[in-house]
Amino acid sequence: MAEEEDSFVYDEASGEWISAAEAKAKAGAADAVEVRDSVGNLLADGDQVTLIKDLTVKGAGQTLKRGTLIKSIRLTGDPQEIDCKYEGIKGLVLRAEFVRKR
């Protein structure tokens, strides 16, 4: 660990030499994706959301009605998609523009 603290990396964005620990922290922050619901609330893993529109689920032959509560969502890394579970539907992925945080 002492070697990592003593090493420096050239940051092309700023044009300066920064410590390896600082470069690692910057890379972690850049990978974080903000996912926002239809009204702009920030979503996180485990949140509960409510549908704001009737959605037809392709392949399931089912329609999820407006006001349906979806529990325990997971973020996918895409700023517009959330992964969730709903009874009877496997692998449900919803667009963030159609949900509102509870």
Side-chain angles (χ1 to χ4, degrees):
M1 285 212 174
E3 292 176 16
E4 188 174 302
E5 292 174 6
D6 294 339
S7 62
F8 286 87
V9 182
Y10 184 73
D11 182 27
E12 293 183 18
S14 66
E16 299 176 356
W17 289 91
I18 58 174
S19 69
E22 188 177 341
K24 189 175 183 180
K26 269 188 171 183
D31 291 342
V33 176
E34 281 191 354
V35 179
R36 297 196 176 266
D37 68 359
S38 61
V39 292
N41 296 323
L42 191 61
L43 297 174
D45 287 338
D47 283 347
Q48 293 183 358
V49 295
T50 305
L51 296 180
I52 62 166
K53 178 181 175 181
D54 289 354
L55 298 174
T56 303
V57 181
K58 295 180 182 177
Q62 188 175 356
T63 300
L64 296 176
K65 299 291 183 186
R66 181 175 156 232
T68 301
L69 177 65
I70 306 291
K71 298 179 181 181
S72 188
I73 65 168
R74 289 184 308 264
L75 304 180
T76 62
D78 184 326
Q80 277 301 309
E81 293 182 349
I82 55 174
D83 188 27
C84 51
K85 291 182 182 177
Y86 188 73
E87 51 194 58
I89 303 173
K90 290 185 179 180
L92 180 62
V93 177
L94 297 173
R95 297 206 30 103
E97 64 189 280
F98 299 125
V99 299
R100 184 181 71 234
K101 186 174 180 177
R102 279 201 83 190

Coordinates of all heavy atoms in Angstrom, one line a residue:
M1 N 0.8 -1.2 0.0 CA 0.0 0.0 0.0 C 0.9 1.3 0.0 O 0.4 2.3 -0.6 CB -0.9 0.0 1.2 CG -2.1 -0.9 1.1 SD -3.4 -0.1 2.0 CE -4.7 -1.2 1.7
A2 N 2.0 1.2 0.6 CA 2.8 2.4 0.7 C 3.3 2.8 -0.7 O 3.4 3.9 -1.0 CB 4.1 2.1 1.6
E3 N 3.5 1.8 -1.6 CA 3.9 2.0 -2.9 C 2.8 2.8 -3.7 O 3.1 3.7 -4.5 CB 4.3 0.7 -3.7 CG 5.5 0.1 -3.2 CD 5.7 -1.3 -3.8 OE1 5.1 -1.5 -4.9 OE2 6.5 -2.0 -3.3
E4 N 1.6 2.4 -3.5 CA 0.4 3.0 -4.1 C 0.3 4.5 -3.7 O 0.0 5.3 -4.5 CB -0.9 2.3 -3.8 CG -2.0 2.7 -4.7 CD -3.2 1.9 -4.5 OE1 -3.2 0.7 -4.7 OE2 -4.3 2.5 -4.0
E5 N 0.5 4.8 -2.4 CA 0.4 6.1 -1.9 C 1.5 7.0 -2.5 O 1.4 8.2 -2.7 CB 0.5 6.1 -0.4 CG -0.7 5.5 0.2 CD -0.6 5.4 1.7 OE1 0.4 5.9 2.3 OE2 -1.5 4.8 2.3
D6 N 2.7 6.4 -2.8 CA 3.8 7.2 -3.3 C 3.8 7.4 -4.8 O 4.5 8.2 -5.3 CB 5.2 6.5 -2.9 CG 5.3 6.5 -1.3 OD1 4.7 7.4 -0.7 OD2 6.1 5.7 -0.8
S7 N 3.0 6.6 -5.5 CA 3.0 6.7 -7.0 C 2.1 7.8 -7.5 O 1.1 8.1 -6.8 CB 2.7 5.3 -7.6 OG 1.3 5.0 -7.2
F8 N 2.5 8.3 -8.6 CA 1.7 9.4 -9.2 C 1.3 9.0 -10.6 O 2.0 8.3 -11.3 CB 2.5 10.7 -9.2 CG 2.6 11.3 -7.9 CD1 3.6 11.0 -7.0 CD2 1.6 12.3 -7.5 CE1 3.6 11.6 -5.7 CE2 1.7 12.9 -6.2 CZ 2.7 12.5 -5.4
V9 N 0.2 9.5 -11.1 CA -0.4 9.2 -12.4 C -0.7 10.5 -13.1 O -1.1 11.5 -12.5 CB -1.7 8.4 -12.3 CG1 -2.2 8.0 -13.6 CG2 -1.5 7.2 -11.4
Y10 N -0.4 10.6 -14.4 CA -0.7 11.8 -15.2 C -2.2 11.8 -15.5 O -2.7 10.9 -16.1 CB 0.1 11.8 -16.5 CG 0.0 13.1 -17.3 CD1 0.5 14.3 -16.8 CD2 -0.7 13.1 -18.4 CE1 0.4 15.5 -17.5 CE2 -0.9 14.3 -19.2 CZ -0.3 15.4 -18.7 OH -0.5 16.6 -19.4
D11 N -2.9 12.9 -15.1 CA -4.3 13.1 -15.4 C -4.4 13.9 -16.7 O -4.1 15.1 -16.7 CB -5.0 13.8 -14.2 CG -6.5 13.9 -14.5 OD1 -7.0 13.1 -15.2 OD2 -7.0 14.9 -13.9
E12 N -4.9 13.3 -17.8 CA -5.0 13.9 -19.0 C -6.0 15.0 -19.0 O -5.9 16.0 -19.8 CB -5.2 12.9 -20.2 CG -4.1 12.0 -20.4 CD -4.3 11.0 -21.5 OE1 -5.2 11.3 -22.4 OE2 -3.6 10.0 -21.6
A13 N -7.1 14.9 -18.3 CA -8.1 15.9 -18.2 C -7.6 17.2 -17.7 O -7.9 18.3 -18.2 CB -9.3 15.4 -17.4
S14 N -6.9 17.1 -16.6 CA -6.4 18.4 -16.0 C -5.0 18.8 -16.4 O -4.5 19.9 -16.2 CB -6.4 18.3 -14.4 OG -5.5 17.3 -14.0
G15 N -4.2 17.8 -17.0 CA -2.8 18.0 -17.4 C -1.9 18.1 -16.2 O -0.8 18.7 -16.3
E16 N -2.2 17.5 -15.1 CA -1.4 17.5 -13.9 C -1.1 16.1 -13.4 O -1.8 15.1 -13.8 CB -2.1 18.3 -12.8 CG -2.3 19.7 -13.1 CD -3.1 20.4 -12.0 OE1 -3.5 19.8 -11.0 OE2 -3.3 21.6 -12.1
W17 N 0.0 15.9 -12.6 CA 0.3 14.7 -12.0 C -0.5 14.6 -10.7 O -0.4 15.5 -9.9 CB 1.8 14.5 -11.7 CG 2.6 14.4 -13.0 CD1 3.1 15.3 -13.8 CD2 2.8 13.1 -13.6 NE1 3.7 14.8 -14.9 CE2 3.6 13.4 -14.8 CE3 2.6 11.8 -13.3 CZ2 4.0 12.4 -15.7 CZ3 3.0 10.8 -14.2 CH2 3.7 11.1 -15.4
I18 N -1.2 13.5 -10.5 CA -2.0 13.3 -9.2 C -1.6 12.0 -8.6 O -1.1 11.1 -9.3 CB -3.5 13.4 -9.5 CG1 -4.0 12.4 -10.5 CG2 -3.9 14.8 -9.9 CD1 -5.5 12.3 -10.7
S19 N -1.9 11.9 -7.3 CA -1.6 10.6 -6.6 C -2.5 9.5 -7.2 O -3.6 9.7 -7.7 CB -1.8 10.7 -5.1 OG -3.2 10.9 -4.8
A20 N -2.0 8.2 -7.1 CA -2.7 7.1 -7.6 C -4.1 6.9 -6.8 O -5.1 6.5 -7.4 CB -1.9 5.8 -7.4
A21 N -4.1 7.2 -5.5 CA -5.3 7.1 -4.8 C -6.3 8.1 -5.3 O -7.5 7.8 -5.4 CB -5.0 7.3 -3.3
E22 N -5.9 9.3 -5.6 CA -6.8 10.3 -6.1 C -7.4 10.0 -7.5 O -8.5 10.2 -7.8 CB -6.1 11.7 -6.1 CG -7.0 12.8 -6.5 CD -6.3 14.2 -6.4 OE1 -5.2 14.3 -5.9 OE2 -6.8 15.1 -7.0
A23 N -6.5 9.4 -8.3 CA -6.9 8.9 -9.6 C -8.0 7.8 -9.5 O -8.9 7.8 -10.3 CB -5.7 8.5 -10.4
K24 N -7.8 6.9 -8.6 CA -8.7 5.8 -8.4 C -10.1 6.4 -7.9 O -11.1 5.9 -8.3 CB -8.1 4.8 -7.3 CG -8.9 3.6 -7.2 CD -8.2 2.6 -6.3 CE -8.9 1.3 -6.2 NZ -8.3 0.4 -5.2
A25 N -10.1 7.3 -7.0 CA -11.3 8.0 -6.5 C -12.0 8.7 -7.7 O -13.3 8.6 -7.8 CB -11.0 8.9 -5.4
K26 N -11.3 9.4 -8.5 CA -11.9 10.0 -9.7 C -12.5 9.0 -10.6 O -13.6 9.3 -11.2 CB -10.8 10.8 -10.5 CG -10.7 12.3 -10.0 CD -9.8 13.0 -11.0 CE -9.8 14.5 -10.7 NZ -9.0 15.2 -11.7
A27 N -11.9 7.9 -10.9 CA -12.4 6.9 -11.8 C -13.7 6.3 -11.2 O -14.6 6.0 -11.9 CB -11.4 5.8 -12.0
G28 N -13.7 6.1 -9.9 CA -14.9 5.5 -9.3 C -16.1 6.5 -9.4 O -17.2 6.1 -9.6
A29 N -15.8 7.8 -9.2 CA -16.9 8.8 -9.3 C -17.4 8.9 -10.7 O -18.6 9.1 -10.9 CB -16.4 10.1 -8.8
A30 N -16.6 8.7 -11.7 CA -17.0 8.8 -13.1 C -17.8 7.6 -13.5 O -18.7 7.8 -14.4 CB -15.7 8.9 -14.0
D31 N -17.7 6.5 -12.9 CA -18.4 5.3 -13.2 C -19.8 5.3 -12.6 O -20.7 4.6 -13.1 CB -17.7 4.0 -12.7 CG -16.4 3.7 -13.5 OD1 -16.3 4.3 -14.6 OD2 -15.6 3.0 -13.0
A32 N -20.1 6.1 -11.6 CA -21.4 6.2 -10.9 C -22.3 6.9 -11.9 O -22.1 7.9 -12.4 CB -21.3 7.0 -9.6
V33 N -23.5 6.2 -12.1 CA -24.5 6.8 -13.0 C -25.7 7.3 -12.2 O -26.2 6.6 -11.3 CB -25.0 5.7 -14.0 CG1 -26.1 6.2 -14.9 CG2 -23.8 5.2 -14.8
E34 N -26.2 8.5 -12.5 CA -27.3 9.0 -11.8 C -28.6 8.6 -12.6 O -28.7 8.8 -13.8 CB -27.3 10.5 -11.7 CG -26.4 11.1 -10.7 CD -26.6 12.6 -10.5 OE1 -27.4 13.2 -11.3 OE2 -26.0 13.1 -9.5
V35 N -29.5 7.9 -11.9 CA -30.8 7.6 -12.5 C -31.9 8.4 -11.8 O -32.0 8.3 -10.6 CB -31.0 6.0 -12.3 CG1 -32.4 5.7 -13.0 CG2 -29.9 5.2 -12.9
R36 N -32.6 9.1 -12.6 CA -33.7 9.9 -12.1 C -35.1 9.5 -12.6 O -35.2 9.0 -13.7 CB -33.5 11.4 -12.4 CG -32.1 11.9 -11.8 CD -32.1 13.4 -11.8 NE -30.9 13.8 -11.2 CZ -30.8 14.2 -9.9 NH1 -31.9 14.1 -9.2 NH2 -29.7 14.6 -9.4
D37 N -36.1 9.6 -11.7 CA -37.4 9.2 -12.1 C -38.1 10.3 -13.0 O -37.4 11.2 -13.4 CB -38.3 8.8 -10.9 CG -38.6 10.0 -10.0 OD1 -38.1 11.1 -10.3 OD2 -39.3 9.8 -9.0
S38 N -39.4 10.1 -13.2 CA -40.1 11.0 -14.1 C -40.2 12.5 -13.6 O -40.3 13.4 -14.4 CB -41.5 10.5 -14.3 OG -42.2 10.5 -13.1
V39 N -40.1 12.7 -12.3 CA -40.1 14.0 -11.7 C -38.7 14.5 -11.3 O -38.7 15.6 -10.7 CB -41.1 14.1 -10.6 CG1 -42.5 14.0 -11.1 CG2 -40.9 13.2 -9.5
G40 N -37.7 13.8 -11.5 CA -36.4 14.2 -11.2 C -35.8 13.7 -9.9 O -34.7 14.1 -9.5
N41 N -36.5 12.9 -9.2 CA -35.9 12.3 -7.9 C -34.8 11.3 -8.2 O -34.9 10.5 -9.2 CB -37.0 11.6 -7.1 CG -38.1 12.5 -6.6 OD1 -37.8 13.7 -6.3 ND2 -39.3 12.1 -6.7
L42 N -33.8 11.3 -7.5 CA -32.6 10.4 -7.7 C -33.0 9.0 -7.1 O -33.5 8.9 -6.0 CB -31.4 10.9 -6.9 CG -30.1 10.2 -7.2 CD1 -29.7 10.4 -8.6 CD2 -29.0 10.8 -6.3
L43 N -32.8 8.0 -8.0 CA -33.2 6.6 -7.6 C -31.9 5.9 -7.2 O -30.8 6.1 -7.6 CB -33.8 5.9 -8.8 CG -35.1 6.4 -9.3 CD1 -35.6 5.7 -10.6 CD2 -36.2 6.3 -8.2
A44 N -32.1 4.9 -6.3 CA -31.0 4.1 -5.8 C -31.5 2.6 -5.7 O -32.7 2.4 -5.7 CB -30.5 4.6 -4.4
D45 N -30.5 1.7 -5.6 CA -30.9 0.3 -5.4 C -31.8 0.1 -4.2 O -31.5 0.7 -3.1 CB -29.6 -0.6 -5.2 CG -28.9 -0.8 -6.5 OD1 -29.5 -0.6 -7.6 OD2 -27.7 -1.1 -6.5
G46 N -32.8 -0.7 -4.3 CA -33.7 -1.0 -3.2 C -34.9 0.0 -3.0 O -35.7 -0.3 -2.2
D47 N -34.9 1.0 -3.8 CA -36.1 2.0 -3.7 C -37.4 1.3 -4.2 O -37.3 0.3 -4.9 CB -35.8 3.2 -4.6 CG -34.8 4.2 -4.0 OD1 -34.6 4.0 -2.8 OD2 -34.4 5.1 -4.7
Q48 N -38.5 1.9 -3.8 CA -39.8 1.5 -4.3 C -40.3 2.6 -5.2 O -40.1 3.8 -5.0 CB -40.8 1.4 -3.1 CG -40.5 0.3 -2.2 CD -41.6 0.2 -1.1 OE1 -42.5 1.0 -1.0 NE2 -41.4 -0.8 -0.2
V49 N -40.9 2.1 -6.3 CA -41.4 3.1 -7.3 C -42.8 2.7 -7.7 O -43.2 1.6 -7.5 CB -40.5 3.1 -8.6 CG1 -39.1 3.6 -8.3 CG2 -40.4 1.8 -9.3
T50 N -43.5 3.7 -8.2 CA -44.9 3.6 -8.7 C -44.9 3.9 -10.1 O -44.3 4.9 -10.6 CB -45.8 4.5 -7.9 OG1 -45.7 4.3 -6.5 CG2 -47.3 4.3 -8.3
L51 N -45.7 3.1 -10.9 CA -45.8 3.4 -12.4 C -46.7 4.6 -12.5 O -47.7 4.8 -11.9 CB -46.4 2.2 -13.1 CG -45.6 0.9 -13.1 CD1 -46.3 -0.2 -13.8 CD2 -44.2 1.2 -13.7
I52 N -46.4 5.5 -13.5 CA -47.2 6.7 -13.8 C -48.0 6.5 -15.1 O -48.7 7.4 -15.5 CB -46.3 7.9 -13.9 CG1 -45.3 7.8 -15.1 CG2 -45.6 8.2 -12.6 CD1 -44.7 9.1 -15.4
K53 N -47.9 5.3 -15.7 CA -48.6 5.1 -17.0 C -48.8 3.6 -17.1 O -48.1 2.8 -16.6 CB -47.7 5.6 -18.1 CG -48.2 5.4 -19.5 CD -47.1 5.9 -20.5 CE -47.6 5.5 -21.9 NZ -46.7 6.0 -22.9
D54 N -49.9 3.2 -17.8 CA -50.2 1.8 -18.1 C -49.1 1.3 -19.1 O -48.8 2.0 -20.1 CB -51.5 1.6 -18.7 CG -52.7 1.8 -17.8 OD1 -52.4 2.0 -16.6 OD2 -53.8 1.7 -18.2
L55 N -48.5 0.2 -18.7 CA -47.4 -0.4 -19.6 C -47.7 -1.8 -20.0 O -48.0 -2.6 -19.2 CB -46.0 -0.3 -18.9 CG -45.5 1.0 -18.4 CD1 -44.3 0.9 -17.6 CD2 -45.2 1.9 -19.6
T56 N -47.6 -2.1 -21.3 CA -47.8 -3.4 -21.8 C -46.5 -4.1 -21.8 O -45.5 -3.6 -22.3 CB -48.4 -3.4 -23.2 OG1 -49.6 -2.7 -23.3 CG2 -48.6 -4.8 -23.8
V57 N -46.4 -5.3 -21.1 CA -45.2 -6.0 -21.0 C -45.0 -7.0 -22.2 O -45.8 -7.9 -22.3 CB -45.1 -6.8 -19.7 CG1 -43.8 -7.5 -19.5 CG2 -45.3 -5.8 -18.5
K58 N -44.1 -6.8 -23.0 CA -43.9 -7.6 -24.2 C -43.4 -9.0 -23.7 O -42.6 -9.1 -22.8 CB -42.8 -7.0 -25.1 CG -43.2 -5.7 -25.7 CD -42.1 -5.2 -26.6 CE -42.5 -3.9 -27.2 NZ -41.4 -3.3 -28.1
G59 N -44.0 -10.0 -24.3 CA -43.6 -11.4 -24.0 C -44.4 -12.0 -22.8 O -44.4 -13.2 -22.7
A60 N -45.0 -11.2 -22.0 CA -45.7 -11.7 -20.8 C -47.2 -11.7 -21.1 O -47.9 -12.3 -20.3 CB -45.3 -10.9 -19.6
G61 N -47.6 -10.9 -22.1 CA -49.1 -10.8 -22.3 C -49.8 -10.2 -21.2 O -51.0 -10.6 -20.9
Q62 N -49.2 -9.3 -20.5 CA -49.8 -8.6 -19.3 C -49.6 -7.1 -19.4 O -48.6 -6.6 -20.0 CB -49.1 -9.2 -18.1 CG -49.7 -8.8 -16.8 CD -48.9 -9.5 -15.6 OE1 -48.1 -10.4 -15.8 NE2 -49.3 -9.2 -14.4
T63 N -50.5 -6.4 -18.8 CA -50.4 -4.9 -18.7 C -50.3 -4.5 -17.3 O -51.1 -4.9 -16.4 CB -51.6 -4.3 -19.3 OG1 -51.7 -4.7 -20.7 CG2 -51.5 -2.8 -19.3
L64 N -49.2 -3.8 -17.0 CA -49.1 -3.2 -15.6 C -49.8 -1.9 -15.6 O -49.6 -1.0 -16.4 CB -47.6 -3.0 -15.3 CG -46.7 -4.3 -15.3 CD1 -45.3 -3.9 -15.1 CD2 -47.2 -5.2 -14.2
K65 N -50.7 -1.8 -14.7 CA -51.6 -0.6 -14.6 C -50.9 0.6 -13.9 O -50.0 0.4 -13.1 CB -52.9 -0.9 -13.8 CG -53.7 -2.0 -14.5 CD -54.3 -1.5 -15.8 CE -55.2 -2.6 -16.4 NZ -55.6 -2.2 -17.7
R66 N -51.3 1.8 -14.2 CA -50.8 3.0 -13.5 C -51.1 2.9 -12.0 O -52.1 2.4 -11.6 CB -51.6 4.2 -14.1 CG -51.2 5.5 -13.5 CD -51.9 6.6 -14.2 NE -52.0 7.7 -13.3 CZ -53.0 8.4 -13.0 NH1 -54.2 8.1 -13.5 NH2 -53.0 9.4 -12.2
G67 N -50.1 3.2 -11.2 CA -50.2 3.2 -9.8 C -49.7 1.9 -9.2 O -49.6 1.7 -8.0
T68 N -49.2 0.9 -10.0 CA -48.7 -0.3 -9.5 C -47.4 -0.1 -8.8 O -46.5 0.7 -9.3 CB -48.4 -1.3 -10.7 OG1 -49.6 -1.5 -11.4 CG2 -47.8 -2.6 -10.2
L69 N -47.3 -0.7 -7.6 CA -46.1 -0.5 -6.8 C -45.0 -1.5 -7.1 O -45.3 -2.7 -7.2 CB -46.4 -0.6 -5.3 CG -45.3 -0.5 -4.3 CD1 -44.6 0.9 -4.4 CD2 -45.7 -0.8 -2.9
I70 N -43.8 -1.1 -7.5 CA -42.7 -2.0 -7.7 C -41.7 -1.8 -6.6 O -41.2 -0.8 -6.3 CB -42.0 -1.7 -9.1 CG1 -43.0 -1.6 -10.2 CG2 -40.9 -2.6 -9.3 CD1 -43.6 -3.0 -10.6
K71 N -41.4 -3.0 -5.9 CA -40.5 -2.9 -4.7 C -39.1 -3.3 -5.1 O -38.9 -4.1 -6.0 CB -41.1 -3.8 -3.6 CG -42.4 -3.4 -3.1 CD -42.9 -4.4 -2.1 CE -44.3 -4.0 -1.6 NZ -44.8 -4.9 -0.6
S72 N -38.2 -2.8 -4.4 CA -36.8 -3.2 -4.5 C -36.2 -3.2 -5.9 O -35.9 -4.3 -6.4 CB -36.6 -4.6 -3.8 OG -35.3 -4.9 -3.7
I73 N -36.0 -2.0 -6.4 CA -35.5 -1.9 -7.8 C -33.9 -2.1 -7.7 O -33.3 -1.9 -6.7 CB -35.8 -0.6 -8.4 CG1 -35.2 0.6 -7.7 CG2 -37.3 -0.4 -8.6 CD1 -35.3 1.9 -8.4
R74 N -33.3 -2.3 -8.9 CA -31.9 -2.4 -9.0 C -31.5 -1.5 -10.2 O -32.1 -1.6 -11.2 CB -31.4 -3.8 -9.2 CG -31.5 -4.7 -8.0 CD -30.9 -6.1 -8.2 NE -31.5 -6.7 -9.4 CZ -32.5 -7.5 -9.5 NH1 -33.1 -7.8 -8.4 NH2 -32.9 -8.0 -10.6
L75 N -30.4 -0.8 -10.0 CA -29.9 0.1 -11.1 C -29.1 -0.8 -12.1 O -28.4 -1.7 -11.6 CB -29.1 1.2 -10.6 CG -29.8 2.1 -9.6 CD1 -28.9 3.2 -9.2 CD2 -31.1 2.7 -10.2
T76 N -29.1 -0.5 -13.4 CA -28.5 -1.4 -14.4 C -27.2 -0.8 -14.9 O -26.4 -1.4 -15.6 CB -29.4 -1.6 -15.6 OG1 -29.7 -0.4 -16.2 CG2 -30.6 -2.3 -15.2
G77 N -26.9 0.5 -14.6 CA -25.7 1.2 -15.1 C -26.1 2.1 -16.3 O -25.4 2.9 -16.7
D78 N -27.3 1.9 -16.8 CA -27.9 2.7 -17.9 C -28.7 3.8 -17.2 O -29.5 3.5 -16.3 CB -28.8 1.9 -18.8 CG -29.4 2.7 -20.0 OD1 -29.6 3.9 -19.8 OD2 -29.5 2.1 -21.0
P79 N -28.5 5.1 -17.5 CA -29.3 6.1 -16.8 C -30.8 6.1 -17.0 O -31.5 6.8 -16.3 CB -28.6 7.4 -17.3 CG -28.0 7.0 -18.6 CD -27.6 5.6 -18.5
Q80 N -31.3 5.3 -17.9 CA -32.7 5.3 -18.2 C -33.4 4.0 -17.9 O -34.6 3.9 -18.1 CB -33.0 5.7 -19.6 CG -33.0 7.2 -19.8 CD -34.1 7.9 -19.0 OE1 -35.2 7.6 -19.0 NE2 -33.6 8.9 -18.2
E81 N -32.7 3.0 -17.4 CA -33.3 1.7 -17.2 C -33.1 1.2 -15.8 O -32.0 1.4 -15.2 CB -32.7 0.6 -18.2 CG -33.0 0.9 -19.6 CD -32.5 -0.2 -20.5 OE1 -31.7 -1.0 -20.1 OE2 -32.9 -0.2 -21.7
I82 N -34.1 0.6 -15.2 CA -34.1 0.0 -13.9 C -34.5 -1.5 -14.0 O -35.5 -1.8 -14.8 CB -34.9 0.8 -12.8 CG1 -36.3 0.9 -13.3 CG2 -34.2 2.1 -12.6 CD1 -37.2 1.5 -12.2
D83 N -33.9 -2.3 -13.3 CA -34.2 -3.8 -13.2 C -35.1 -4.0 -12.0 O -34.8 -3.5 -10.9 CB -33.0 -4.6 -13.2 CG -33.2 -6.1 -13.3 OD1 -34.2 -6.4 -14.0 OD2 -32.4 -6.8 -12.8
C84 N -36.2 -4.8 -12.2 CA -37.1 -5.0 -11.0 C -37.7 -6.4 -11.2 O -37.7 -7.0 -12.2 CB -38.1 -3.9 -10.9 SG -38.9 -3.5 -12.4
K85 N -38.4 -6.8 -10.1 CA -39.2 -8.0 -10.1 C -40.6 -7.6 -9.9 O -41.0 -6.7 -9.1 CB -38.7 -8.9 -8.9 CG -37.3 -9.5 -9.1 CD -37.0 -10.4 -7.9 CE -35.6 -10.9 -8.0 NZ -35.3 -11.8 -6.9
Y86 N -41.5 -8.4 -10.5 CA -42.9 -8.3 -10.3 C -43.5 -9.6 -10.5 O -43.0 -10.4 -11.3 CB -43.5 -7.3 -11.3 CG -45.0 -7.0 -11.1 CD1 -45.3 -6.1 -10.0 CD2 -46.0 -7.5 -11.8 CE1 -46.6 -5.8 -9.7 CE2 -47.3 -7.3 -11.5 CZ -47.6 -6.4 -10.5 OH -48.9 -6.1 -10.2
E87 N -44.5 -10.0 -9.6 CA -45.0 -11.3 -9.6 C -45.5 -11.8 -11.0 O -46.2 -11.1 -11.7 CB -46.2 -11.4 -8.6 CG -47.2 -10.3 -8.8 CD -48.2 -10.2 -7.6 OE1 -47.7 -10.0 -6.5 OE2 -49.4 -10.4 -7.9
G88 N -45.0 -12.9 -11.4 CA -45.3 -13.5 -12.7 C -44.5 -13.0 -13.9 O -44.7 -13.5 -15.0
I89 N -43.6 -12.1 -13.7 CA -42.8 -11.5 -14.8 C -41.3 -11.6 -14.4 O -40.9 -11.0 -13.5 CB -43.2 -10.1 -15.1 CG1 -44.6 -9.9 -15.5 CG2 -42.3 -9.6 -16.3 CD1 -45.1 -8.5 -15.6
K90 N -40.6 -12.4 -15.2 CA -39.1 -12.5 -14.9 C -38.4 -11.5 -15.8 O -38.7 -11.3 -16.9 CB -38.6 -13.9 -15.3 CG -39.1 -15.0 -14.4 CD -38.5 -16.3 -14.8 CE -39.0 -17.4 -13.8 NZ -38.4 -18.7 -14.1
G91 N -37.3 -11.0 -15.2 CA -36.4 -10.1 -16.0 C -37.1 -8.8 -16.5 O -36.9 -8.4 -17.6
L92 N -37.9 -8.2 -15.6 CA -38.6 -6.9 -16.0 C -37.6 -5.8 -15.9 O -37.0 -5.5 -14.9 CB -39.8 -6.7 -15.0 CG -40.6 -5.5 -15.3 CD1 -41.3 -5.5 -16.6 CD2 -41.7 -5.4 -14.2
V93 N -37.5 -5.0 -17.0 CA -36.7 -3.8 -17.1 C -37.6 -2.7 -17.4 O -38.3 -2.7 -18.5 CB -35.6 -3.9 -18.1 CG1 -34.8 -2.6 -18.2 CG2 -34.7 -5.1 -17.7
L94 N -37.7 -1.6 -16.6 CA -38.5 -0.5 -16.9 C -37.7 0.7 -17.2 O -36.6 0.9 -16.7 CB -39.4 -0.2 -15.6 CG -40.4 -1.2 -15.2 CD1 -41.0 -0.9 -13.9 CD2 -41.4 -1.4 -16.2
R95 N -38.2 1.6 -17.9 CA -37.6 2.9 -18.2 C -37.9 3.9 -17.1 O -39.0 3.9 -16.6 CB -38.0 3.5 -19.5 CG -37.6 2.6 -20.7 CD -37.5 3.2 -22.0 NE -37.0 4.5 -22.1 CZ -35.8 4.9 -22.4 NH1 -34.8 3.9 -22.6 NH2 -35.5 6.1 -22.5
A96 N -36.9 4.6 -16.6 CA -37.1 5.5 -15.5 C -38.1 6.6 -15.7 O -38.7 7.1 -14.8 CB -35.7 6.1 -15.1
E97 N -38.3 6.9 -17.0 CA -39.3 8.0 -17.3 C -40.7 7.6 -17.0 O -41.6 8.5 -17.0 CB -39.2 8.4 -18.8 CG -39.5 7.3 -19.7 CD -39.2 7.7 -21.2 OE1 -40.0 8.4 -21.8 OE2 -38.2 7.2 -21.6
F98 N -41.0 6.3 -16.8 CA -42.4 5.9 -16.5 C -42.6 5.5 -15.0 O -43.6 4.9 -14.7 CB -42.7 4.6 -17.3 CG -42.6 4.9 -18.8 CD1 -41.8 4.1 -19.6 CD2 -43.4 5.9 -19.4 CE1 -41.8 4.3 -21.0 CE2 -43.3 6.2 -20.7 CZ -42.5 5.4 -21.5
V99 N -41.7 5.9 -14.1 CA -41.8 5.6 -12.7 C -41.7 6.8 -11.9 O -41.0 7.8 -12.3 CB -40.9 4.5 -12.2 CG1 -41.1 3.2 -13.0 CG2 -39.4 4.9 -12.4
R100 N -42.2 6.8 -10.7 CA -42.0 7.9 -9.7 C -41.6 7.2 -8.4 O -42.2 6.2 -7.9 CB -43.3 8.6 -9.5 CG -43.2 9.8 -8.6 CD -44.5 10.6 -8.4 NE -45.4 9.8 -7.6 CZ -46.7 9.5 -8.0 NH1 -47.1 9.9 -9.2 NH2 -47.4 8.7 -7.3
K101 N -40.7 7.8 -7.7 CA -40.2 7.2 -6.4 C -41.2 7.4 -5.3 O -41.9 8.5 -5.3 CB -38.9 8.0 -6.0 CG -38.2 7.4 -4.8 CD -36.9 8.1 -4.6 CE -36.2 7.6 -3.3 NZ -34.9 8.3 -3.2
R102 N -41.4 6.4 -4.5 CA -42.4 6.5 -3.4 C -41.7 7.2 -2.2 O -40.6 7.0 -1.9 CB -42.8 5.1 -3.0 CG -43.9 4.7 -3.9 CD -44.7 3.7 -3.4 NE -45.7 4.3 -2.5 CZ -46.5 3.7 -1.7 NH1 -46.5 2.4 -1.6 NH2 -47.4 4.4 -1.0

